[in-house]
Amino acid sequence: MSKAGTPTAEHDAKDLSKSKQSTSLISQAIADVLPSSDPFDNPDFDVTAIINSYFPTELSLSTVETTAEKLEERMTQLDGEILDAVEAQSSTGTAVKKDLEQANQAVLTLTEKLEGIRTKSEETENMVREICSDIQTLDNAKRNLTSTITALRRLHMLETAVEQLSILTTERAYKEAANLLEAVTQLASNFDSYKAIPKICELLASVRALRSELQAQVFEEFKMHIDPSMSDDVSSMLADAALVVSVLGPGLILKLVQWFSDKELAEYSNLFDPAKQPATLEGVERRFAWLKRWLRSYQATYAHVLPASWKVPQLFAESFCDLTREHLSVLLQRLAKENSANMDVRRLLFVIQQSIEMEKELTKRFFPSVLAEGSDDGEEGDEE
């Protein structure tokens, strides 16, 4: 015997085993997918067994021809089925290819449509941007047009108001002039940024000239007519002129009040001029009594002419105190030079006491809140 198990024989045996395993796996997979009871489909097909099943006895051999014909018909049927399956598979492959081509064409068509949509979207976006830009331009134009129309209306109103104010100034209708002057001032303030335009510059110059004319005119009215004995018509006219002064501003108010205080203090200066008085402190209480009389007289004579917002009594009292301080300073200096050895200390203390009481009275009249705060501080000090 030759030795078995050579390398070539072993290699062939392994290949055969692998082939059988692959065939078995494929057959099992087909059986799982297409189950069949036909013995010819069985992977373990046994020819001897199938012949014995057809011819189990010797007597059954008489049907060999019949069985052969049936098997031949079965073979013919199987060949037809295989041919049909091949043709169907061929047709199916063609249809699948055609469907795939149609799908690819549909994808291309869809891509083209999407590209068209994107292009139209960009065009629409550009169009919307242009429309928005046009709308913004129109909006700016509308705003500028509205501003221009408003400015022209105000300019016309200012021209008309200046003409009317000039007429009212000439007619000395101060009450109406005060209302119109305030409107002219507000209208003129709208054209500060248009001063470079000759027409507007000329109009604003007219407004300034008219204000100066009114200022000089109403100031002259007070100089000529304000007096304790003035008539009711004059009082009414000056009250209207005071409205004009209030519109012209705080500068003119202060100037007018200062002039009025100096005018009223002229009588006080004549009565208590230190050059005309002996070097004594007699009559200090008469000075304060004069101020009290004047304050009472003011309420009856001038309070209805000069507005309370001007604070005329307060400013007058301040001027009075300044002037009185100057007078007393001169008197004290003369007293110290002429009779320093025999200075009456009691009289000096009395004057100081009178001055302090008058100061408290004026503070109570014009600054009640300050006096109340001082009283609260004093009470807290007493409690401590």
Side-chain angles (χ1 to χ4, degrees):
M1 294 178 59
S2 62
K3 294 184 180 179
T6 61
T8 303
E10 291 179 355
H11 185 269
D12 292 340
K14 290 181 180 179
D15 290 342
L16 181 60
S17 176
K18 290 181 179 179
S19 177
K20 289 182 177 180
Q21 290 179 357
S22 299
T23 303
S24 177
L25 291 174
I26 294 172
S27 299
Q28 183 62 40
I30 293 174
D32 292 338
V33 175
L34 299 172
S36 174
S37 59
D38 193 337
F40 292 100
D41 294 332
N42 191 339
D44 299 329
F45 177 72
D46 187 356
V47 177
T48 301
I50 195 66
I51 291 175
N52 290 333
S53 65
Y54 282 121
F55 306 104
T57 62
E58 292 182 1
L59 295 176
S60 60
L61 292 176
S62 60
T63 61
V64 170
E65 294 181 359
T66 304
T67 302
E69 291 177 358
K70 290 181 179 179
L71 291 176
E72 188 173 354
E73 290 178 0
R74 175 62 176 163
M75 290 176 60
T76 302
Q77 181 183 356
L78 289 176
D79 290 338
E81 291 178 359
I82 291 172
L83 181 61
D84 293 340
V86 171
E87 291 178 354
Q89 182 64 32
S90 177
S91 300
T92 303
T94 304
V96 169
K97 183 178 180 180
K98 184 178 180 181
D99 292 341
L100 183 59
E101 291 177 354
Q102 291 178 351
N104 290 333
Q105 185 64 34
V107 170
L108 292 176
T109 304
L110 180 61
T111 303
E112 292 176 356
K113 289 183 178 180
L114 290 176
E115 183 66 22
I117 292 173
R118 187 182 66 81
T119 303
K120 290 183 180 180
S121 177
E122 291 178 353
E123 294 175 353
T124 303
E125 183 179 356
N126 293 332
M127 185 182 300
V128 170
R129 189 178 295 108
E130 292 176 358
I131 293 173
C132 291
S133 177
D134 293 341
I135 291 175
Q136 185 176 4
T137 302
L138 292 174
D139 187 57
N140 292 333
K142 178 184 177 182
R143 190 181 299 108
N144 293 334
L145 182 60
T146 303
S147 300
T148 303
I149 294 174
T150 302
L152 290 174
R153 287 178 178 175
R154 288 174 176 173
L155 182 62
H156 177 69
M157 292 170 62
L158 182 58
E159 290 179 337
T160 304
V162 169
E163 293 177 0
Q164 293 177 353
L165 183 59
S166 179
I167 296 173
L168 293 175
T169 302
T170 303
E171 296 177 352
R172 301 181 183 276
Y174 296 120
K175 185 175 182 179
E176 293 77 5
N179 295 329
L180 193 57
L181 177 61
E182 187 172 4
V184 167
T185 303
Q186 293 178 355
L187 287 172
S189 65
N190 295 316
F191 296 96
D192 290 338
S193 57
Y194 301 98
K195 292 180 180 179
I197 301 175
K199 175 65 176 178
I200 295 179
C201 183
E202 179 182 351
L203 187 59
L204 294 178
S206 300
V207 173
R208 290 192 295 270
L210 195 54
R211 286 175 62 91
S212 299
E213 181 182 351
L214 261 175
Q215 179 175 334
Q217 185 170 313
V218 295
F219 202 96
E220 191 64 26
E221 295 284 12
F222 278 99
K223 285 184 177 181
M224 292 177 58
H225 298 103
I226 192 166
D227 188 82
S229 60
M230 57 186 171
S231 63
D232 293 341
D233 292 340
V234 173
S235 297
S236 178
M237 183 269 293
L238 292 180
D240 294 341
L243 298 176
V244 176
V245 174
S246 296
V247 176
L248 288 172
L252 182 58
I253 294 175
L254 186 60
K255 180 180 178 181
L256 182 58
V257 172
Q258 189 61 53
W259 169 84
F260 177 74
S261 298
D262 294 341
K263 169 183 172 297
E264 293 297 306
L265 285 173
E267 177 187 351
Y268 174 76
S269 297
N270 291 331
L271 290 175
F272 300 98
D273 187 356
K276 301 176 183 179
Q277 299 291 327
T280 64
L281 296 177
E282 302 292 340
V284 173
E285 60 272 20
R286 290 192 297 112
R287 290 173 177 269
F288 298 145
W290 184 91
L291 176 60
K292 292 178 182 179
R293 287 196 303 273
W294 186 91
L295 291 174
R296 288 193 298 269
S297 174
Y298 175 85
Q299 293 299 324
T301 308
Y302 301 116
H304 62 286
V305 175
L306 304 176
S309 60
W310 291 9
K311 299 181 180 180
V312 175
Q314 176 182 332
L315 297 176
F316 179 84
E318 291 178 4
S319 298
F320 170 86
C321 292
D322 291 339
L323 184 58
T324 301
R325 183 181 65 250
E326 294 175 5
H327 286 182
L328 293 180
S329 177
V330 173
L331 288 175
L332 287 173
Q333 290 175 6
R334 285 175 54 193
L335 183 61
K337 291 179 181 180
E338 296 175 5
N339 195 11
S340 59
N342 298 321
M343 183 176 292
D344 190 349
V345 178
R346 288 185 178 181
R347 187 63 188 175
L348 183 58
L349 292 175
F350 176 76
V351 171
I352 293 174
Q353 182 181 0
Q354 289 290 314
S355 299
I356 293 174
E357 290 179 356
M358 189 64 195
E359 180 182 352
K360 288 183 178 180
E361 185 174 343
L362 292 176
T363 302
K364 181 179 180 181
R365 182 186 185 99
F366 301 118
F367 306 101
S369 59
V370 175
L371 189 61
E373 291 177 1
S375 300
D376 293 341
D377 294 340
E379 291 176 1
E380 292 177 0
D382 294 341
E383 291 177 0
E384 292 179 356

